[in-house]
Amino acid sequence: MLKRYSLLWRLALVLVIVAVTTMVAGTRITGVLRDDAQLLNERAIAIMQGYAAAAEQAWLTGGQAGVDQWLADMRAREAGDIAVISATDQSLSSVPLTEQERAGLRFQRGVDSRMSFRYGKKMPYLGVPFPVAPEQGSLLMQLPPRLRPGTYWPWVENLLLVGMPTLSALLLGGLLFWRARVPLKALQAQVLGFKDDTQARVTGPLATRGDEFGELARSFNHMAEQVSGMLETQRQLLNDMSHELRTPLSRLSVALESQMSETELRQRVEQELHHMRTLVDDTLALGWQDTDTGTSGLESLSLPALWEMIVENAAFESGWDKCRFPCALPDDALVYGNLNVLAQVFENLVRNAIRHSPEQGSVQLLGQWEEGAWHLQVVDQGPGVPDDKLDRIFAPFVRLDTARADRSGFGLGLSIARRAVERLGGELWAHNGTPGLCVHLRLPAPPLV
């Protein structure tokens, strides 16, 4: 599962890493900026310490009256509660502390403390000791609104909540786009190049990748091989067909120019037309093998019944007795395929076997079960084929028996048979027996229900 969808799991892993990294980094950055936003800046600290120094000077030089005068001046300058208190938390002015000031005294903060954002419009109370004689008293004062830190924090917080994920998504999207674009561009270049060069293939690291891009590259190469083979086959078919057609056409030209009687001329024309029609039909059948998937009309077929049908036609065409076509298969031998396709395959094999068999020869069907398929052998008693040409007999227009060219076909039967079997998911090959030629077929069995 992991290997099959490797690209999916890689992307999922990247997304998880980016999401976790964004969350951790966002939390830390938010914490650092939040702490910084809750602290007084150096200017505010200097102002508050200056006020504490002025209050201390007023107390040392003027006593209670001096403090009263200083407080009056301060209340005219700054909003909020202001008090000068002793070390025992008593007012050093002539006016005692109010309840609100006593409540502020209990929750007072230092100039280096963090300011909470939960106060709203109400300013926190700061306690600033006298700078020279802190044991004599301190300044208790609500922080002036103009000195409050973090007024920009709501905007920064929203920017972090939205901006960090957005930036991460953009960076991740750009990275994924770049990583995907490189192999896609390479594939696109090969696809476009295939128009002009059918040998173009995807090579290098892209073709060996273990993810979906690698599978796509290998699928393209496989497709390119098939298309290239089809095009080569079509070209070869056209060349061979044009060559094969020249012979009957030449004979017709000679016949028309000769002094043959009308009856003889008609017979010659009929013979050559039959010759050319057979060539065209076989060539078209071979050409369709490259475009037909061979998967339509698939069904379970009885091999003994199929062989009996083939033998019926073969015996009629050749004049052989049916007993010369023995079948050594059990009655329940079944294969999975198309009836018309397999009938054509066996007809071609049997006709080829009859053509090369001696006068009293036989053609038999053997087979054995092999792991979900039937391994069949069509065996004749002919002279066989040279070992170095066993594979060539399946190529189009290959005829080893040129001495009997007029009655031995066009060399298309075995080629048609092999392609038909391969389209059905099987195999077809041959080897020399003792005597004769043994053609092997491996055909799939019906799927289990």
Side-chain angles (χ1 to χ4, degrees), residues 13 59 77 95 111 120 157 181 210 214 217 236-237 285 323 342 347 360 380 397 420 442:
L13 179 61
W59 167 253
R77 294 173 54 188
V95 180
V111 292
E157 186 176 30
R181 185 173 181 271
Q236 186 64 38
L237 282 177
C323 65
L342 286 180
E347 283 179 358
Q360 300 301 321
D380 63 40
F397 296 103
R442 184 176 286 111

Side-chain angles (χ1 to χ4, degrees), residues 319-393:
W320 285 21
D321 192 272
K322 293 182 182 179
C323 65
R324 295 171 65 181
F325 300 92
C327 175
L329 294 177
D331 293 337
D332 60 349
L334 299 176
V335 293
Y336 192 65
N338 182 285
L339 176 59
N340 294 330
V341 172
L342 286 180
Q344 184 183 28
V345 168
F346 280 100
E347 283 179 358
N348 287 340
L349 296 180
V350 171
R351 285 196 184 106
N352 187 72
I354 293 173
R355 185 181 300 119
H356 295 90
S357 292
E359 291 185 2
Q360 300 301 321
S362 65
V363 178
Q364 59 180 328
L365 177 64
L366 308 175
Q368 57 272 348
W369 173 260
E370 292 182 354
E371 298 181 357
W374 274 97
H375 182 184
L376 309 174
Q377 300 97 40
V378 178
V379 184
D380 63 40
Q381 295 178 327
V385 174
D387 290 339
D388 60 341
K389 298 179 180 179
L390 280 172
D391 198 55
R392 283 191 58 207
I393 62 176

Side-chain angles (χ1 to χ4, degrees), residues 5 35 71 73 75 114 149-150 233 302 311 316 365 396 448:
Y5 300 108
D35 290 344
L71 288 174
D73 295 339
R75 290 190 178 104
R114 292 186 177 88
T233 300
S302 170
V311 167
F316 176 78
L365 177 64
L448 298 176

Side-chain angles (χ1 to χ4, degrees), residues 111-129:
V111 292
D112 295 326
S113 302
R114 292 186 177 88
M115 306 295 125
S116 175
F117 297 125
R118 294 178 297 175
Y119 287 109
K121 294 183 179 180
K122 185 177 180 181
M123 295 289 102
Y125 284 84
L126 296 184
V128 186

